[in-house]
Amino acid sequence: MSFNINYKRKLFLYYFSIFFILTAAFVVFQYEREKQFRIAQLESTLNGVTDLTNNFIVSNQLIARNKTELIDSLLQIIPTIHSRITLIDNKGKVMFDNFVDDFGQMENHLERPEIQKAKYSSTGAGSNIRNSATTGQVFYYYAHYYDAYFIRVAVVYDVQIKNFLKAERLFLVFIAFVFVILWFILSYVTSKMSESITKLKDFAVHLRQNKTLEYDYQFPENELGVIGKQIVEMYKKLAETKNALSLEKEKLIKHLLVLNEGVGFFSPEKNAILTNTHFVQYLNLIADKSSIHPEHIFEMGELKNLHKFIKKYVQKNDVAINPHFLPQLEFTLKKGGYYFVVKCIVFQDKSFEIYINDITKLEKRKLLKQEMTSNIAHELKTPVASVSGYLETILNNKDIAEDKKNHFIEKAYKQAARLNTLIDDIVVLNRMEEDVDSNDFEAVLINKIVQEIVEDCEGRIQQHNAVVKAEIPDSVTVKGNDTLIASVFQNLVDNALNYAGDNVQIKINMYHQDEVFYYFSVSDNGIGIPQENLPRIFERFYRVHSGRSRQMGGTGLGLAIVKHAVNLHKGEVSVKNGTNGGAEFYFSLPKYVG
Ligand code: ATP
Ligand code: MG
């Protein structure tokens, strides 16, 4: 409220001063005019006195008769004059003065201003206001020049403000009355105006407290009110747009935070404005340090390219940014087994975005694909060459013995079969990479699968004089893909039969379980795997004795499939040689929960 009072008082003071100055100017002007008028009036009266005195002198020939002192008698006849009358000849000598007895002794009066003025003015009259040396009072001197002499009249000067004010009392009362009326009008107008201003002030206060949109503003119907209404409406629109914008911004920020890529926005001064967690994580990996700050990116020796780019486009003031072709940088970086792609875009205001993405998987997959393609080609070459070799021998030797011919055909058939399994394995591996979706996992009964596999292998088991002991409770149910899980057990049993040797015992167990996983083992007591080959045994196409293994029809993909399948189920697989020398495989698979 103090604002309101203040504002009103100020407005009043402002108008009042204008009014006061105008009135004062008017009074001064009026006073000056009045003064002029009175002087004119006085002069005309005094002129009457000089004329009268002159007539008296002329008609009584006072000069010629040298009887100027007789002027006194004129003043006695007309006592209303009450003035000092001085007669001065044109040389300045005083010839009579009714206030001074021995006027003959008075100093020369030619240099008195009123005498000088009277002598040289066209009207023959002159006046002057000054202190009288004789009486000490202020006198109004009026002199008239009559050819041979000057007649001067002096009266006490009383054109005083006091008298003027007395005369103009009515005028002052009128002025006061006008002022009161004006004051009422003014206070009405100011309160009307201040109402709008107060509302605007309220609005501003609410604005600061962020409560504007709940407040209903009714402005008075005047220009200020209209302006106020417009301002409030404009503000409301602005606030709505701002809200919509910040919502969009929030969405963007949320999006940035869940992105798998690292993104950081920086000001032209290289201060971090916004960075997501991946950005910092990737920086840690690149710098090989933990707890790194986003702005440390500008000190990392690994990113010299980036620093140069920023120096060129952000830090140099004379480089303008074309909004249609924002400067961009992109490069890949290899650090400690990781591959990163780093991008930088400079925006028009010289703020910039740095993007870092971990492309290790992609890069590795690319390498693997290349390796796999060459491996496949290599693996295909041998069986295809043998098949065509056998067939060529048969074709070129028409009279070949029947049993030999059959032998070659059998060999060719074996190689073709090998090709078939190889292609099957490749298909399984590829499908695992692309198709398998953990959402499609279902309940898989392990014992059932194992029993089927053992049954299928019955012939080979007998052939190797092996014993298979599968002791898995019927209730063991895994959540997974049954084909993949079957291939895990199948491959391990196949390997034991193929490589462990004859007369072996193969055990299939569920040796442990926890809340989440079942832990299985497939072990044999055969020849085992040489210690130095163990670390690479799960690699694609990796075989211990490649010649022997190939003879057995192996391609080195079996354990790769096992590892991949177990990993797809979030399990782990490992291998070691048991105390009795045979290979022992351990792996976990997730429990199926009803
Ligand atoms: P594929 O399984 O594709 O037919 P493979 O059997 O040769 O071919 P893997 O199953 O990956 O390939 O096995 C890799 C190698 O590990 C085999 O060549 C073999 O030398 C060795 N190996 C695997 N299991 C055993 C085991 N139980 N005892 C001894 N060596 C084994
Ligand atoms: Mg195998």
Side-chain angles (χ1 to χ4, degrees), residues 421-422 425 491-492 494-501 524 526-530 537-539 541-546 548-550 552-561 582-585:
T421 28
L422 174 66
D425 282 354
N491 269 295
L492 294 175
D494 279 353
N495 283 352
L497 288 173
N498 287 343
Y499 310 114
D524 61 68
I527 59 161
I529 301 162
I537 205 82
F538 292 105
E539 287 176 20
F541 298 107
Y542 188 80
R543 286 165 300 212
V544 175
H545 306 287
S546 47
R548 204 169 93 88
S549 169
R550 194 172 290 152
M552 309 299 302
T555 54
L557 285 175
L559 288 178
I561 291 173
E584 294 182 353
F585 289 88

Side-chain angles (χ1 to χ4, degrees), residues 48-59:
V49 173
T50 56
D51 276 355
L52 188 71
T53 312
N54 183 44
N55 283 343
F56 185 74
I57 291 170
V58 172
S59 57

Side-chain angles (χ1 to χ4, degrees), residues 463-486:
Q463 202 182 321
H464 291 285
N465 195 26
V467 179
V468 178
K469 276 193 175 171
E471 288 163 358
I472 292 175
D474 282 339
S475 60
V476 174
T477 316
V478 159
K479 183 175 164 65
N481 174 295
D482 58 350
T483 325
L484 288 181
I485 290 175

Side-chain angles (χ1 to χ4, degrees), residues 29-43 140 157 159:
F29 174 74
Q30 191 67 10
Y31 171 73
E32 278 307 312
R33 261 181 52 137
E34 190 68 25
K35 202 164 108 179
Q36 291 303 322
F37 175 71
R38 276 168 190 250
I39 285 172
Q41 221 178 20
L42 184 67
E43 282 189 1
Y140 189 91
Y157 182 63
V159 188

Side-chain angles (χ1 to χ4, degrees), residues 500 522-535 537 544 574-586:
V522 176
S523 58
D524 61 68
N525 55 356
I527 59 161
I529 301 162
Q531 203 63 28
E532 68 269 21
N533 299 104
L534 281 179
I537 205 82
V544 175
S574 61
V575 59
K576 67 172 191 178
N577 286 314
T579 41
N580 52 16
E584 294 182 353
F585 289 88
Y586 299 92

